Amino acid sequence: AQSVTQLGSHVSVSEGALVLLRCNYSSSVPPYLFWYVQYPNQGLQLLLKYTSAATLVKGINGFEAEFKKSETSFHLTKPSAHMSDAAEYFCAVSENGGGSNYKLTFGKGTLLTVNP
Amino acid sequence: NAGVTQTPKFQVLKTGQSMTLQCAQDMNHEYMSWYRQDPGMGLRLIHYSVGAGITDQGEVPNGYNVSRSTTEDFPLRLLSAAPSQTSVYFCASSEGGPRRIEQFFGPGTRLTVL
């Protein structure tokens, strides 16, 4: 069984400050890991994904995440927050290989607020 | 490509009523899934399909029914709606084979059951 824990249901930063959203996972097999963003009243958009290639993954809108196997973590960062980054962010895991890598398990989400 | 489309966008039902949430994709994707999103719960998998004629249960299947008669469509049926099914429902699809990693999500259907 796999699970995802997102630390902090709400993170507030100032515009221009570092964004750090935390995600820890558990999986019995090597995982695929994802970060999705959801803007108000919209669907989910993929920010970035880890699929066992480079451990530092760069995504859209200046976000990146680092896969750390020893810490079972996949934290999302952005050096400088912009007002347009305000949204809810979801970390998700699926199984690498096998037949189940189309089934995503999501964390509960982190709401990012950016203050002017 | 329209991607993944869902209808309706909003729906209000009374307890006991039935309805079907529609989902369609025009990307010839093999895999399709339904998730529900509830505040503080993230998204949870309801049912999924690995191809036409093949469906299986996810994490929270009770009260929902699905079928997949074509590659394009994957409707979700509520046979007797309950207030606990008030939620936002998302449909997703992904390619088959080694490229089936990324899922594409529809815009969602917001359902209220009174």
Side-chain angles (χ1 to χ4, degrees), chain A residues 32 34 36 38 41-46 49-51 88 90 94 97-109, chain B residues 31 33 35 37 40-45 48-50 57 59 90 94 97-98 100-108 110:
Chain A
Y32 290 143
F34 307 83
Y36 283 87
Q38 184 180 34
N41 299 313
Q42 294 189 25
L44 276 74
Q45 180 182 5
L46 182 67
K49 60 180 183 249
Y50 166 76
T51 58
E88 190 158 22
F90 293 94
S94 69
S100 300
N101 59 352
Y102 45 83
K103 294 195 296 182
L104 290 172
T105 298
F106 284 86
K108 295 184 178 182
Chain B
Y31 299 103
S33 308
Y35 295 85
Q37 182 181 27
M41 299 292 290
L43 281 79
R44 292 178 292 170
L45 182 63
Y48 63 95
S49 169
V50 301
Q57 297 181 352
E59 180 184 356
F90 289 100
S94 60
R100 60 186 178 190
I101 298 170
E102 179 176 350
Q103 293 199 22
F104 295 84
F105 283 80
R110 186 175 296 272

Side-chain angles (χ1 to χ4, degrees), chain B residues 44-71:
Chain B
R44 292 178 292 170
L45 182 63
I46 304 172
H47 284 286
Y48 63 95
S49 169
V50 301
I54 307 170
T55 64
D56 205 347
Q57 297 181 352
E59 180 184 356
V60 287
N62 292 341
Y64 307 95
N65 200 3
V66 293
S67 60
R68 182 111 178 260
S69 56
T70 68
T71 299

Side-chain angles (χ1 to χ4, degrees), chain A residues 4 33 36 39 46 51 71:
Chain A
V4 175
L33 294 160
Y36 283 87
Y39 299 102
L46 182 67
T51 58
E71 299 178 7

Side-chain angles (χ1 to χ4, degrees), chain B residues 8-66:
Chain B
K9 292 189 186 306
F10 302 94
Q11 183 70 49
V12 178
L13 292 178
K14 295 181 179 178
T15 296
Q17 286 185 316
S18 63
M19 80 158 296
T20 299
L21 281 64
Q22 301 292 344
C23 174
Q25 51 89 12
D26 61 358
M27 298 175 282
N28 200 33
H29 282 176
E30 191 171 345
Y31 299 103
M32 296 186 74
S33 308
W34 276 102
Y35 295 85
R36 61 176 288 173
Q37 182 181 27
D38 302 293
M41 299 292 290
L43 281 79
R44 292 178 292 170
L45 182 63
I46 304 172
H47 284 286
Y48 63 95
S49 169
V50 301
I54 307 170
T55 64
D56 205 347
Q57 297 181 352
E59 180 184 356
V60 287
N62 292 341
Y64 307 95
N65 200 3
V66 293

